[in-house]
Amino acid sequence: MNVLYITVDALRADHVTSEIMPKTHGFVDKNMEYTRCYANGPGTPWSFPTLLGSRYSGGTDGFGIPGEDDVRPTLAETLQEEGYATAGFTDNRFASSDYNYDRGMDSMWDSGATSSEKRLKHEVRGRLDQDGLLFKAILRGYHLIDDLLLNIRGDDTRFVRAEVLVDQVTEWIEDRENDWFAWVHPMDTHAPYEAPDEYQRQYLEEPVSRRKSQKLASAATHRPDDLSDKDWQLQKQLYKAECQYLDDQLERLFTSLPDSVRDETVIVVTADHGEMHGEHGLGGHPQQFWEEVIHVPCGISIPGRSNETIDDQIGLVDIPPTILDSVGIEFPRTGTATVSFQMMTA
């Protein structure tokens, strides 16, 4: 039995609807839908120890997970030990090999996430006083710096688009002959929202420039009081455009699997956290446990299992043991399962 594990960045549960994301909504609705799935923390660094390691982030020092000497195996390591081919596809630095998330991966496509440019940005952010005048001045002009770097590299967007990741993962899957585990983490619904023009036109009269979307995203996260009601409405529409673009790419991924492969594949769709667009006067995903930030979608397709709507509350930490149970592998007892694991798989 194969495993396709899709963890979207910053996708709110309330946007996986028949109006905004009809294909993804259809997938979730036709399979095992968990209506009250919650992230175990308000951001990527807190969610990925749970998503790939089924451990709480508070159980490790700093961001990420320990290296290979760690006695608790990751999801990928457990599957690899059982003979699975394994691969990861991400452009999020906090979910990359820089933080040991390549453990158990035969292949890891994260070169953009671990680039020297992103490492430098992270180093600068870590060294400066974030309440200081210099840091605040850099933030106000950050969209200009980012735009310049993208022009130099010849890139259209800050993050690799889902289209690219889908191409990579489908090509990798096509070359597999035995059981495989593929994890893919699209970044499109993470700010700044830079959906292709044809998607923006579905929500706006005219697409906004890359620079404007970057400036708006920076202000929403760091200076939300500066945004007007019109600004927040624009941010919301740009986010919906990204959701719709991502929806088409996820459908392309689903339909790339032949029926014979689909019938032998567990598919999981969830997110690491949500995003705020002016609710409570905040934007982005502040380190606070608001519903908009921690309520995430979760749908699981298990061959041979009928569709079911489950309203009991679960956490992202429950997903790795559920995946293993679905393919008949015992969850390592050195890991961290929760009580709802039994509820999910019973």
Side-chain angles (χ1 to χ4, degrees), residues 1-3 73-86 179-181 266 319-333 337 341-342 345:
M1 191 77 73
N2 310 306
V3 177
T74 65
L75 174 61
E77 285 174 325
T78 303
L79 290 166
Q80 187 183 58
E81 183 69 22
E82 294 290 330
Y84 278 66
T86 57
D179 291 341
W180 50 263
F181 166 76
V266 173
I319 295 179
T322 300
I323 290 173
L324 293 178
D325 183 74
S326 300
V327 298
I329 298 174
E330 184 177 355
F331 184 71
R333 293 306 164 193
F341 164 53
Q342 294 299 328
T345 58

Side-chain angles (χ1 to χ4, degrees), residues 56-344:
Y56 295 102
S57 61
T60 61
D61 293 329
F63 292 154
I65 56 176
E68 293 181 353
D69 293 337
D70 181 34
V71 297
R72 293 180 294 180
T74 65
L75 174 61
E77 285 174 325
T78 303
L79 290 166
Q80 187 183 58
E81 183 69 22
E82 294 290 330
Y84 278 66
T86 57
F89 305 82
T90 181
D91 194 39
N92 188 319
R93 185 168 185 271
F94 287 114
S96 73
S97 53
D98 273 358
Y99 291 95
N100 297 317
Y101 290 113
D102 58 338
R103 283 178 48 187
M105 299 292 186
D106 298 330
S107 304
M108 188 75 162
W109 277 261
D110 65 348
S111 58
T114 58
S115 67
S116 57
E117 174 193 316
K118 287 193 177 179
R119 286 173 176 162
L120 177 60
K121 289 179 182 178
H122 184 70
E123 186 71 17
V124 170
R125 179 182 290 270
R127 289 181 177 273
L128 291 180
D129 176 9
Q130 298 193 13
D131 292 323
L133 294 177
L134 177 58
F135 185 78
K136 291 180 179 179
I138 291 175
L139 281 180
R140 285 189 173 275
Y142 183 75
H143 65 286
L144 299 175
I145 300 171
D146 219 28
D147 195 60
L148 175 62
L149 291 173
L150 289 175
N151 285 331
I152 292 173
R153 294 200 309 264
D155 293 337
D156 293 331
T157 58
R158 179 186 293 184
F159 297 112
V160 171
R161 287 199 194 278
E163 179 180 358
V164 176
L165 294 181
V166 169
D167 286 345
Q168 291 174 331
V169 70
T170 53
E171 182 178 347
W172 182 84
I173 290 172
E174 286 173 358
D175 292 336
R176 300 309 106 197
E177 296 182 356
N178 299 313
D179 291 341
W180 50 263
F181 166 76
W183 161 61
V184 58
H185 185 68
M187 292 294 295
D188 303 87
T189 47
H190 186 292
Y193 311 131
E194 303 166 320
D197 288 355
E198 60 266 33
Y199 289 89
Q200 291 193 35
R201 287 193 179 96
Q202 295 182 40
Y203 292 94
L204 303 169
E205 291 186 5
E206 288 295 332
V208 304
S209 68
R210 183 178 66 196
R211 182 176 294 184
K212 183 173 182 178
S213 66
Q214 291 171 343
K215 182 178 181 179
L216 185 62
S218 178
T221 301
H222 301 289
R223 304 182 308 281
D225 291 343
D226 290 357
L227 270 63
S228 65
D229 290 343
K230 184 178 180 180
D231 292 330
W232 284 120
Q233 182 61 25
L234 175 57
Q235 186 78 331
K236 291 176 183 178
Q237 298 300 82
L238 289 171
Y239 182 76
K240 289 178 182 178
E242 287 283 24
C243 288
Q244 198 155 93
Y245 164 74
L246 176 65
D247 190 52
D248 283 347
Q249 296 306 315
L250 291 183
E251 181 192 35
R252 194 163 66 88
L253 177 53
F254 296 148
T255 57
S256 72
L257 300 177
D259 289 344
S260 58
V261 176
R262 181 73 177 264
D263 291 343
E264 293 293 328
T265 303
V266 173
I267 303 176
V268 178
V269 177
T270 189
D272 60 345
H273 56 80
E275 198 88 321
M276 300 183 79
H277 303 123
E279 298 89 353
H280 317 289
L282 299 170
H285 38 281
Q287 302 309 288
Q288 302 172 22
F289 286 80
W290 295 107
E291 180 81 2
E292 296 84 358
V293 176
I294 63 171
H295 188 194
V296 295
C298 181
I300 304 179
S301 171
I302 302 175
R305 289 289 298 268
S306 59
N307 64 312
E308 184 179 359
T309 299
I310 301 169
D311 296 323
D312 296 297
Q313 183 172 319
I314 64 166
L316 294 180
V317 73
D318 299 305
I319 295 179
T322 300
I323 290 173
L324 293 178
D325 183 74
S326 300
V327 298
I329 298 174
E330 184 177 355
F331 184 71
R333 293 306 164 193
T334 51
T336 306
T338 65
V339 174
S340 53
F341 164 53
Q342 294 299 328
M343 172 274 297
M344 293 180 72

